[in-house]
Amino acid sequence: MKVGILGAGQLGQMLAQAAIDMGMTCRFLAPPGETCVEGLGDLTIGDLRDAAVLDRFAQGLDAVTYEWENVPVSAIDHLRRRVPVRPGPESLRIGQDRIQEKQFFRSCGLRVQAFAPVDAPRDFRMALQAVPLPAMLKTRRLGYDGKGQARVMDARDLAAAFEMLGGVPCILEAFVPFDAEISLVAVRGVEHDGTEMIRFWPAFRNEHREGILDRSVSPASGMDAATLHEAQRGVREALRRLDHQGVLCVEFFLADGELIANEMAPRVHNSAHGTMEGAVTSQFENHMRAVAHMPLGSTEPRGVTAMRNLVGSVAQPQAAMPPGTFLHLYGKQPRPRRKLGHVTSVAQREIDAIAACDAAFAALQGQPASARG
Ligand code: AMP
C-alpha cells in the first residue's frame, strides 16, 4: 500500500510513522516551508495548484490523505480523478469557511452560538442585531491557533476590528463564557465487507495558552453522559453527511453543562496526540487504517492521559524523563509559538497523569520539578 500525504509537518510525520509500522510506504507533497518527514518517504516541495505537480505525485499511489486543513480544495478535486482521496473534498470545503461550518453543525443537530456573516461594513448593523455582545470577530477563512480574530466588546469596536483583520469576509459570533474547552475526536472507516465503522476516543479537555493548545486531558471530566452522547450523535451525523473517511475532530465549548460546537478539523488533531500511548489504537494508526480501507482498531483508553505541547523552545531536550511519561520531539527548528514536540503520560488517576506530565514538561523546560504550567 502506497499512500500520499499532502503536507509534511509533524502530523504528516506521525501519520507516516504509524503507516510504516503497518507496512505501508508514504510519499509527501508540501508547499515551501519547514518540513519534518525526513527518512519517512519521498518528499516533493511544490505548488498544490499545479496540475503537473499533482499528476506526478499521484502516480502509483493507492490512496491520498492530508494533514492540514488549508489544502486547496482544487488540489483534492484534481487528485480524485486519479486516486481515492480520503477524507474527500467536502470535509475540507466546509471546514475552510467558518460560516458554512456553523450552518453545517446546526444541520447535524449540534448546538452553536449565535453568529452572523460580516463580509463588508454594510453587514455591521445586521450582525450586531443577530449577535449579542461581547462577541468575537474572526476571518471566515485561514484562521488557526487564535490568529485572525478579535474581541468586540462594544458596537463601536466592530469597524476597527474588521479593519484590523484586513477587511476580509468575517464571522461575528457570540463570546461563550465557557467552563472548559472539549474536543471530540472520531474516526470513520469501513469493515472488510464495506460496512461503515465509527469510533470515538474518550473526550479531551483542552487548555490553551496564548491561543495555542497547552494541555489536553482525556477522558475529560465534568461533563454528564447525556451531554456527551448528544454531541457524539451530532458528530456521527457530520461524519456521515460528509462521507468522511479518516479522523475528524470537532472542538466545543462546555458552558452551563452544554456543548457548543466551535470548529472542526478534518484530520488528526493535536488534542489527541496522547492516544499514541493512551489508547489501544492511536488516532494516527486509525486514520491510516481508514485511508487504506483496513478495519479500525479499538479506541479504548489505557487509563487517563495527559499531554502537553512543547512550544517555542525546549530548554533541556536531553532531560531525564519521569517514569510513565513519553517524549516526542518533531525535529523542528525552535521559533516562538512553533510546536516543537509534546510529552504524554498515562496513569490510572487524572491527578497522577497530570502530575507526571507536568513533571516531564518542567524537566524539559529546565524548570524546578514543582513548577506547574
Ligand atoms: P478558534 O480559532 O475558533 O479555535 O479560537 C481559538 C481560541 O479562542 C479558542 O480555543 C477559545 O479559547 C477562544 N475563542 C474562540 N472563539 C470563542 C468564543 N466565541 N467565545 C469564547 N472564546 C472563544
Side-chain angles (χ1 to χ4, degrees):
M1 183 90 193
K2 199 166 176 94
V3 180
I5 299 178
L6 299 172
Q10 66 267 20
L11 300 180
Q13 179 188 87
M14 291 183 273
L15 284 170
Q17 285 163 344
I20 290 166
D21 283 348
M22 290 187 285
M24 302 179 196
T25 52
C26 297
R27 176 189 297 166
F28 303 89
L29 172 62
E34 192 182 25
T35 60
C36 46
V37 295
E38 213 182 294
L40 297 172
D42 296 337
L43 166 65
T44 303
I45 300 294
D47 182 355
L48 273 70
R49 296 179 195 277
D50 183 333
V53 168
L54 294 171
D55 288 341
R56 253 195 318 276
F57 172 69
Q59 245 168 42
L61 292 178
D62 298 302
V64 167
T65 189
Y66 43 87
E67 60 115 54
W68 102 103
E69 62 272 34
N70 290 324
V71 171
V73 175
S74 62
I76 305 298
D77 286 335
H78 186 88
L79 284 167
R80 271 202 332 151
R81 290 186 223 124
R82 282 154 186 76
V83 53
V85 181
R86 301 178 185 129
E90 209 45 26
S91 305
L92 267 185
R93 209 187 314 274
I94 291 178
Q96 285 179 357
D97 182 334
R98 288 185 188 270
I99 295 275
Q100 282 191 39
E101 193 173 55
K102 288 236 177 357
Q103 289 166 340
F104 175 67
F105 284 156
R106 204 177 255 165
S107 75
C108 295
L110 290 167
R111 259 174 248 269
V112 294
Q113 68 269 55
F115 67 94
V118 179
D119 290 337
R122 66 169 180 277
D123 300 325
F124 289 173
R125 205 160 53 86
M126 285 266 278
L128 287 165
Q129 274 166 10
V131 180
L133 295 177
M136 304 283 283
L137 186 72
K138 301 179 180 177
T139 58
R140 280 176 74 155
R141 295 174 165 276
L142 300 176
Y144 67 97
D145 284 347
K147 288 183 189 155
Q149 47 183 272
R151 273 233 212 171
V152 178
M153 303 303 289
D154 184 285
R156 284 165 302 187
D157 299 342
L158 184 54
F162 185 69
E163 194 134 311
M164 198 269 279
L165 295 178
V168 297
C170 285
I171 179 174
L172 186 70
E173 57 177 55
F175 184 81
V176 181
F178 57 81
D179 300 312
E181 295 191 73
I182 302 290
S183 52
L184 295 188
V185 182
V187 58
R188 180 171 178 269
V190 287
E191 296 266 24
H192 277 314
D193 64 3
T195 54
E196 173 194 64
M197 273 177 120
I198 293 178
R199 290 196 167 151
F200 284 86
W201 284 271
F204 300 86
R205 190 182 73 233
N206 305 321
E207 293 164 32
H208 294 81
R209 188 184 276 195
E210 293 171 19
I212 301 176
L213 183 65
D214 174 33
R215 179 194 279 123
S216 292
V217 177
S218 175
S221 48
M223 227 182 332
D224 68 54
T227 304
L228 178 62
H229 286 148
E230 192 189 321
Q232 285 181 335
R233 195 167 48 225
V235 174
R236 217 175 267 120
E237 178 68 19
L239 285 162
R240 292 195 174 121
R241 286 192 189 202
L242 295 168
D243 190 19
H244 188 92
Q245 298 187 62
V247 168
L248 177 81
C249 172
V250 181
E251 294 182 72
F252 294 84
F253 299 122
L254 180 66
D256 286 336
E258 288 195 75
L259 282 172
I260 296 161
N262 181 43
E263 62 177 359
M264 69 179 190
R267 55 163 171 78
V268 286
H269 193 258
N270 193 171
S271 58
H273 285 3
T275 57
M276 272 198 272
E277 291 89 13
V280 173
T281 313
S282 76
Q283 61 165 346
F284 302 102
E285 176 175 340
N286 261 347
H287 182 82
M288 295 313 286
R289 285 180 164 273
V291 168
H293 276 184
M294 289 160 62
L296 304 179
S298 163
T299 48
E300 278 295 301
R302 295 183 190 277
V304 180
T305 302
M307 189 277 313
R308 286 193 70 179
N309 273 334
L310 298 161
V311 179
S313 62
V314 183
Q316 306 278 351
Q318 320 273 325
M321 297 290 292
T325 63
F326 306 90
L327 173 64
H328 299 265
L329 289 173
Y330 312 141
K332 292 160 74 175
Q333 288 303 314
R335 202 171 74 187
R337 298 180 61 80
R338 178 173 276 176
K339 291 173 184 169
L340 303 177
H342 69 269
V343 60
T344 305
S345 79
V346 186
Q348 288 316 305
R349 297 188 313 164
E350 181 181 288
I351 190 171
D352 298 328
I354 293 175
C357 190
D358 283 350
F361 179 91
L364 290 159
Q365 295 300 20
Q367 298 166 355
S370 59
R372 281 288 315 257

Short mmCIF file of all heavy atoms in Angstrom, two decimals, residues 98 101-102 113-114 134-136 138 143-149 151 173-178 181 206-208 211-212 251-253 262-263, ligand 1:
data_model
loop_
_atom_site.label_atom_id
_atom_site.label_comp_id
_atom_site.label_asym_id
_atom_site.label_seq_id
_atom_site.Cartn_x
_atom_site.Cartn_y
_atom_site.Cartn_z
N ARG A 98 -15.83 29.37 8.15
CA ARG A 98 -16.46 29.30 9.47
C ARG A 98 -17.98 29.45 9.42
O ARG A 98 -18.68 28.95 10.31
CB ARG A 98 -15.86 30.36 10.39
CG ARG A 98 -14.43 30.05 10.84
CD ARG A 98 -13.99 31.10 11.85
NE ARG A 98 -12.60 31.04 12.21
CZ ARG A 98 -12.12 30.31 13.24
NH1 ARG A 98 -12.92 29.58 13.98
NH2 ARG A 98 -10.83 30.33 13.51
N GLU A 101 -19.35 26.13 8.18
CA GLU A 101 -19.10 25.15 9.24
C GLU A 101 -20.20 25.22 10.31
O GLU A 101 -20.76 24.20 10.70
CB GLU A 101 -17.75 25.51 9.84
CG GLU A 101 -17.10 24.50 10.73
CD GLU A 101 -15.69 24.98 11.09
OE1 GLU A 101 -15.52 26.12 11.61
OE2 GLU A 101 -14.75 24.22 10.87
N LYS A 102 -20.52 26.44 10.73
CA LYS A 102 -21.55 26.59 11.78
C LYS A 102 -22.92 26.16 11.25
O LYS A 102 -23.69 25.51 11.96
CB LYS A 102 -21.59 28.04 12.27
CG LYS A 102 -20.36 28.40 13.13
CD LYS A 102 -20.78 28.90 14.46
CE LYS A 102 -19.66 29.22 15.43
NZ LYS A 102 -18.29 28.99 15.12
N GLN A 113 -23.17 28.74 18.89
CA GLN A 113 -23.51 30.04 19.44
C GLN A 113 -24.09 30.93 18.33
O GLN A 113 -23.96 30.61 17.15
CB GLN A 113 -22.26 30.72 20.07
CG GLN A 113 -21.17 31.14 19.11
CD GLN A 113 -20.13 30.06 18.89
OE1 GLN A 113 -20.47 28.95 18.52
NE2 GLN A 113 -18.87 30.39 19.08
N ALA A 114 -24.73 32.05 18.73
CA ALA A 114 -25.27 32.99 17.73
C ALA A 114 -24.14 33.48 16.84
O ALA A 114 -23.03 33.73 17.32
CB ALA A 114 -25.93 34.16 18.44
N PRO A 134 -20.57 40.71 24.59
CA PRO A 134 -19.37 40.72 23.76
C PRO A 134 -19.37 39.59 22.73
O PRO A 134 -20.04 38.58 22.91
CB PRO A 134 -18.24 40.54 24.78
CG PRO A 134 -18.87 39.85 25.94
CD PRO A 134 -20.29 40.30 25.97
N ALA A 135 -18.58 39.82 21.68
CA ALA A 135 -18.55 38.85 20.58
C ALA A 135 -17.11 38.72 20.08
O ALA A 135 -16.22 39.46 20.50
CB ALA A 135 -19.46 39.31 19.46
N MET A 136 -16.92 37.74 19.21
CA MET A 136 -15.62 37.57 18.55
C MET A 136 -15.83 37.80 17.07
O MET A 136 -16.77 37.24 16.48
CB MET A 136 -15.09 36.15 18.72
CG MET A 136 -14.96 35.65 20.12
SD MET A 136 -13.52 36.30 20.96
CE MET A 136 -12.23 35.31 20.24
N LYS A 138 -14.06 36.94 13.59
CA LYS A 138 -13.00 36.05 13.08
C LYS A 138 -13.03 36.05 11.57
O LYS A 138 -14.12 36.11 10.97
CB LYS A 138 -13.24 34.61 13.54
CG LYS A 138 -13.29 34.41 15.04
CD LYS A 138 -13.56 32.94 15.35
CE LYS A 138 -13.63 32.69 16.84
NZ LYS A 138 -13.96 31.29 17.15
N GLY A 143 -7.96 30.97 9.54
CA GLY A 143 -7.59 31.27 10.93
C GLY A 143 -7.07 30.01 11.60
O GLY A 143 -7.52 28.92 11.28
N TYR A 144 -6.09 30.11 12.48
CA TYR A 144 -5.66 28.96 13.28
C TYR A 144 -4.89 29.46 14.49
O TYR A 144 -4.38 30.58 14.48
CB TYR A 144 -4.80 27.99 12.46
CG TYR A 144 -3.45 28.56 12.06
CD1 TYR A 144 -2.31 28.28 12.80
CD2 TYR A 144 -3.34 29.40 10.97
CE1 TYR A 144 -1.09 28.82 12.45
CE2 TYR A 144 -2.13 29.95 10.61
CZ TYR A 144 -1.01 29.64 11.35
OH TYR A 144 0.20 30.20 11.00
N ASP A 145 -4.84 28.60 15.51
CA ASP A 145 -4.13 28.94 16.75
C ASP A 145 -4.43 30.37 17.21
O ASP A 145 -3.53 31.12 17.60
CB ASP A 145 -2.61 28.76 16.56
CG ASP A 145 -2.20 27.29 16.57
OD1 ASP A 145 -3.03 26.45 16.95
OD2 ASP A 145 -1.05 27.01 16.19
N GLY A 146 -5.69 30.75 17.16
CA GLY A 146 -6.09 32.06 17.67
C GLY A 146 -5.74 33.22 16.76
O GLY A 146 -5.96 34.38 17.11
N LYS A 147 -5.22 32.92 15.55
CA LYS A 147 -4.90 34.02 14.63
C LYS A 147 -6.14 34.39 13.84
O LYS A 147 -7.01 33.55 13.62
CB LYS A 147 -3.80 33.61 13.65
CG LYS A 147 -2.45 33.50 14.34
CD LYS A 147 -1.36 33.16 13.35
CE LYS A 147 -0.09 32.86 14.12
NZ LYS A 147 0.82 32.00 13.40
N GLY A 148 -6.20 35.65 13.39
CA GLY A 148 -7.34 36.07 12.56
C GLY A 148 -8.61 36.25 13.38
O GLY A 148 -9.70 35.97 12.89
N GLN A 149 -8.46 36.72 14.63
CA GLN A 149 -9.67 37.01 15.40
C GLN A 149 -9.48 38.18 16.36
O GLN A 149 -8.36 38.48 16.77
CB GLN A 149 -10.19 35.78 16.12
CG GLN A 149 -9.16 34.98 16.88
CD GLN A 149 -9.79 33.74 17.48
OE1 GLN A 149 -10.30 33.79 18.58
NE2 GLN A 149 -9.78 32.63 16.76
N ARG A 151 -11.66 40.47 19.67
CA ARG A 151 -12.82 40.59 20.55
C ARG A 151 -13.56 41.88 20.24
O ARG A 151 -12.93 42.91 20.00
CB ARG A 151 -12.36 40.67 21.99
CG ARG A 151 -12.18 39.32 22.56
CD ARG A 151 -12.97 39.23 23.86
NE ARG A 151 -12.24 38.31 24.74
CZ ARG A 151 -12.54 38.13 26.01
NH1 ARG A 151 -13.50 38.83 26.57
NH2 ARG A 151 -11.87 37.28 26.73
N GLU A 173 -19.36 36.16 16.05
CA GLU A 173 -20.02 35.12 16.84
C GLU A 173 -20.01 35.51 18.32
O GLU A 173 -19.09 36.18 18.80
CB GLU A 173 -19.35 33.75 16.63
CG GLU A 173 -17.87 33.73 16.95
CD GLU A 173 -17.24 32.35 16.80
OE1 GLU A 173 -17.37 31.77 15.71
OE2 GLU A 173 -16.60 31.89 17.76
N ALA A 174 -21.06 35.10 19.00
CA ALA A 174 -21.21 35.44 20.42
C ALA A 174 -20.03 34.87 21.21
O ALA A 174 -19.60 33.73 20.95
CB ALA A 174 -22.52 34.89 20.96
N PHE A 175 -19.53 35.65 22.15
CA PHE A 175 -18.49 35.16 23.05
C PHE A 175 -19.15 34.16 24.01
O PHE A 175 -20.21 34.43 24.56
CB PHE A 175 -17.88 36.33 23.82
CG PHE A 175 -16.74 35.90 24.69
CD1 PHE A 175 -15.48 35.73 24.15
CD2 PHE A 175 -16.94 35.64 26.04
CE1 PHE A 175 -14.42 35.31 24.95
CE2 PHE A 175 -15.88 35.21 26.84
CZ PHE A 175 -14.63 35.05 26.28
N VAL A 176 -18.53 33.00 24.17
CA VAL A 176 -19.09 31.97 25.05
C VAL A 176 -18.27 31.94 26.35
O VAL A 176 -17.09 31.62 26.30
CB VAL A 176 -19.03 30.57 24.38
CG1 VAL A 176 -19.63 29.51 25.30
CG2 VAL A 176 -19.74 30.59 23.04
N PRO A 177 -18.87 32.30 27.47
CA PRO A 177 -18.13 32.24 28.75
C PRO A 177 -18.03 30.78 29.19
O PRO A 177 -18.80 30.33 30.02
CB PRO A 177 -18.99 33.07 29.69
CG PRO A 177 -20.35 33.08 29.08
CD PRO A 177 -20.27 32.70 27.64
N PHE A 178 -17.08 30.08 28.61
CA PHE A 178 -17.06 28.62 28.78
C PHE A 178 -16.40 28.19 30.08
O PHE A 178 -15.56 28.90 30.64
CB PHE A 178 -16.38 27.95 27.58
CG PHE A 178 -14.96 28.42 27.31
CD1 PHE A 178 -13.90 27.93 28.03
CD2 PHE A 178 -14.71 29.35 26.30
CE1 PHE A 178 -12.60 28.35 27.78
CE2 PHE A 178 -13.41 29.78 26.04
CZ PHE A 178 -12.36 29.29 26.77
N GLU A 181 -12.91 23.77 27.47
CA GLU A 181 -12.89 23.50 26.03
C GLU A 181 -12.70 21.99 25.86
O GLU A 181 -11.85 21.38 26.52
CB GLU A 181 -11.78 24.28 25.34
CG GLU A 181 -12.04 25.78 25.43
CD GLU A 181 -11.11 26.58 24.54
OE1 GLU A 181 -11.28 26.56 23.32
OE2 GLU A 181 -10.20 27.23 25.09
N ASN A 206 -9.26 20.56 26.92
CA ASN A 206 -8.11 21.27 26.38
C ASN A 206 -7.92 22.64 27.02
O ASN A 206 -8.88 23.38 27.19
CB ASN A 206 -8.29 21.46 24.87
CG ASN A 206 -8.54 20.13 24.16
OD1 ASN A 206 -7.93 19.12 24.52
ND2 ASN A 206 -9.43 20.12 23.19
N GLU A 207 -6.68 22.95 27.35
CA GLU A 207 -6.36 24.28 27.88
C GLU A 207 -5.39 24.94 26.91
O GLU A 207 -4.43 24.30 26.46
CB GLU A 207 -5.68 24.16 29.25
CG GLU A 207 -6.61 23.61 30.32
CD GLU A 207 -5.83 23.14 31.54
OE1 GLU A 207 -4.76 23.71 31.85
OE2 GLU A 207 -6.29 22.17 32.16
N HIS A 208 -5.67 26.21 26.61
CA HIS A 208 -4.82 26.95 25.67
C HIS A 208 -4.01 28.00 26.41
O HIS A 208 -4.40 28.48 27.47
CB HIS A 208 -5.68 27.63 24.61
CG HIS A 208 -6.39 26.65 23.71
ND1 HIS A 208 -7.56 26.03 24.09
CD2 HIS A 208 -6.08 26.18 22.49
CE1 HIS A 208 -7.94 25.20 23.12
NE2 HIS A 208 -7.06 25.27 22.14
N GLY A 211 -3.52 31.31 22.84
CA GLY A 211 -4.20 30.82 21.63
C GLY A 211 -3.67 29.49 21.12
O GLY A 211 -4.17 28.98 20.13
N ILE A 212 -2.67 28.92 21.79
CA ILE A 212 -2.10 27.64 21.33
C ILE A 212 -2.40 26.57 22.37
O ILE A 212 -2.31 26.83 23.58
CB ILE A 212 -0.57 27.76 21.13
CG1 ILE A 212 -0.27 28.85 20.10
CG2 ILE A 212 0.04 26.42 20.69
CD1 ILE A 212 1.22 29.11 19.91
N GLU A 251 -14.27 20.70 17.85
CA GLU A 251 -13.95 21.40 19.10
C GLU A 251 -15.20 22.09 19.64
O GLU A 251 -15.93 22.72 18.87
CB GLU A 251 -12.84 22.41 18.87
CG GLU A 251 -11.53 21.74 18.49
CD GLU A 251 -10.41 22.76 18.29
OE1 GLU A 251 -9.94 23.32 19.28
OE2 GLU A 251 -10.05 22.98 17.12
N PHE A 252 -15.39 21.98 20.95
CA PHE A 252 -16.59 22.51 21.60
C PHE A 252 -16.20 23.40 22.78
O PHE A 252 -15.13 23.25 23.36
CB PHE A 252 -17.41 21.36 22.21
CG PHE A 252 -18.00 20.41 21.22
CD1 PHE A 252 -17.24 19.35 20.72
CD2 PHE A 252 -19.32 20.53 20.81
CE1 PHE A 252 -17.80 18.45 19.82
CE2 PHE A 252 -19.88 19.63 19.91
CZ PHE A 252 -19.12 18.60 19.41
N PHE A 253 -17.16 24.25 23.16
CA PHE A 253 -17.09 24.93 24.45
C PHE A 253 -18.09 24.22 25.35
O PHE A 253 -19.22 23.95 24.92
CB PHE A 253 -17.51 26.40 24.33
CG PHE A 253 -16.62 27.20 23.42
CD1 PHE A 253 -17.15 27.87 22.32
CD2 PHE A 253 -15.26 27.29 23.65
CE1 PHE A 253 -16.33 28.62 21.48
CE2 PHE A 253 -14.44 28.03 22.81
CZ PHE A 253 -14.98 28.69 21.73
N ASN A 262 -17.70 24.67 18.09
CA ASN A 262 -16.98 25.87 17.63
C ASN A 262 -16.37 25.68 16.25
O ASN A 262 -16.60 26.48 15.37
CB ASN A 262 -15.89 26.23 18.66
CG ASN A 262 -15.12 27.48 18.26
OD1 ASN A 262 -15.71 28.45 17.80
ND2 ASN A 262 -13.80 27.44 18.38
N GLU A 263 -15.58 24.62 16.08
CA GLU A 263 -14.98 24.41 14.75
C GLU A 263 -14.57 22.96 14.60
O GLU A 263 -14.54 22.21 15.57
CB GLU A 263 -13.79 25.35 14.52
CG GLU A 263 -12.66 25.14 15.48
CD GLU A 263 -11.46 26.05 15.18
OE1 GLU A 263 -11.50 26.82 14.22
OE2 GLU A 263 -10.48 25.95 15.92
P1 AMP B 1 -10.65 29.16 17.34
O1 AMP B 1 -9.66 29.60 16.31
O2 AMP B 1 -12.08 29.38 16.94
O3 AMP B 1 -10.39 27.75 17.82
O4 AMP B 1 -10.36 30.07 18.62
C1 AMP B 1 -9.18 29.98 19.37
C2 AMP B 1 -9.47 30.10 20.86
O5 AMP B 1 -10.08 31.37 21.14
C3 AMP B 1 -10.48 29.07 21.37
O6 AMP B 1 -9.82 27.87 21.70
C4 AMP B 1 -11.03 29.79 22.57
O7 AMP B 1 -10.16 29.70 23.68
C5 AMP B 1 -11.09 31.24 22.13
N1 AMP B 1 -12.41 31.51 21.50
C6 AMP B 1 -12.68 31.45 20.18
N2 AMP B 1 -13.97 31.73 19.93
C7 AMP B 1 -14.55 32.00 21.11
C8 AMP B 1 -15.88 32.34 21.52
N3 AMP B 1 -16.88 32.51 20.64
N4 AMP B 1 -16.11 32.52 22.84
C9 AMP B 1 -15.12 32.35 23.75
N5 AMP B 1 -13.84 32.04 23.42
C10 AMP B 1 -13.54 31.86 22.13
#
